[in-house]
Amino acid sequence: MVYTALLRGINVGGKNKVDMKILKKSFEQAGMKNVVTYINSGNIIFTTADHSKNDIAEILEKAILNTFGLDIKVLVLSLEDMKKVMSLLPESWTNDDKMRSDVLFLWEDINDESVLDQLTFKPEIETVKYAPGAILWAIDKINVTKGSMTKLVGTKLYKQLTIRNVNTTRKIYELMLAAEKSG
């Protein structure tokens, strides 16, 4: 099966530095196949037939701890999980000079539509939707500082998710589909 591992909090502001080439080798040594990394923020696509998502996350967290000495949370999504998110992500959403759109991927213990109840957002300037496994968020760039998602940083909820912009999310999905075809 094809999976992606999303690492939370690496290579941000010079902290938790993780070299992608070394990370790739670490994943391979942990038994993952066809490992591909995408950009420096901890997006890894791979295949494995041997483990559940929870087992994979535990294996990879141990591998990162052993290789880098870092206690990093790893969110593992299957291709099916990603298809659900992508099916609800509006094609018109962009991440460019006019619009900011992010996908806030949720850890399993908060993966429920009721997570939206923990957010206070401003529907007049931002769009927030639940997709199984994620919160989808979009706002015009001119209003970003007025939006509510920036207030998430440092909250309990913030520690239970990992964020990718829509461009990165779409590329991860593309790489997962390519892995499925070649696998």
Side-chain angles (χ1 to χ4, degrees), residues 71-148:
D71 188 14
I72 301 292
K73 284 192 78 168
V74 176
L75 180 63
V76 175
L77 300 170
S78 69
L79 179 57
E80 291 307 311
D81 296 332
M82 198 64 144
K83 283 180 180 177
K84 289 175 189 170
V85 171
M86 297 307 293
S87 72
L88 295 169
L89 183 63
E91 284 186 37
S92 62
W93 285 16
T94 58
N95 200 58
D96 56 23
D97 60 342
K98 291 183 177 36
M99 177 185 262
R100 175 171 168 184
S101 304
D102 290 326
V103 179
L104 293 72
F105 290 98
L106 306 169
W107 260 263
E108 197 58 43
D109 50 343
I110 63 164
N111 182 14
D112 185 85
E113 193 165 4
S114 65
V115 73
L116 294 179
D117 297 338
Q118 298 180 49
L119 303 173
T120 53
F121 54 93
K122 302 171 183 170
E124 64 277 7
I125 62 168
E126 57 194 338
T127 304
V128 179
K129 301 177 179 192
Y130 172 79
I135 298 169
L136 311 176
W137 176 66
I139 191 167
D140 288 339
K141 269 277 172 77
I142 197 164
N143 291 321
V144 167
T145 58
K146 297 174 193 163
S148 60

Side-chain angles (χ1 to χ4, degrees), residues 13-14 22 47 120 157-158:
I22 297 171
T47 60
T120 53
L157 178 61
Y158 183 72

Side-chain angles (χ1 to χ4, degrees), residues 8 73 104 106 110 115 118-120 135 148-163:
R8 186 179 191 287
K73 284 192 78 168
L104 293 72
L106 306 169
I110 63 164
V115 73
Q118 298 180 49
L119 303 173
T120 53
I135 298 169
S148 60
M149 289 298 171
T150 55
K151 294 177 180 76
L152 262 180
V153 177
T155 66
K156 182 180 175 188
L157 178 61
Y158 183 72
K159 293 174 182 164
Q160 296 176 291
L161 53 85
T162 186
I163 303 170

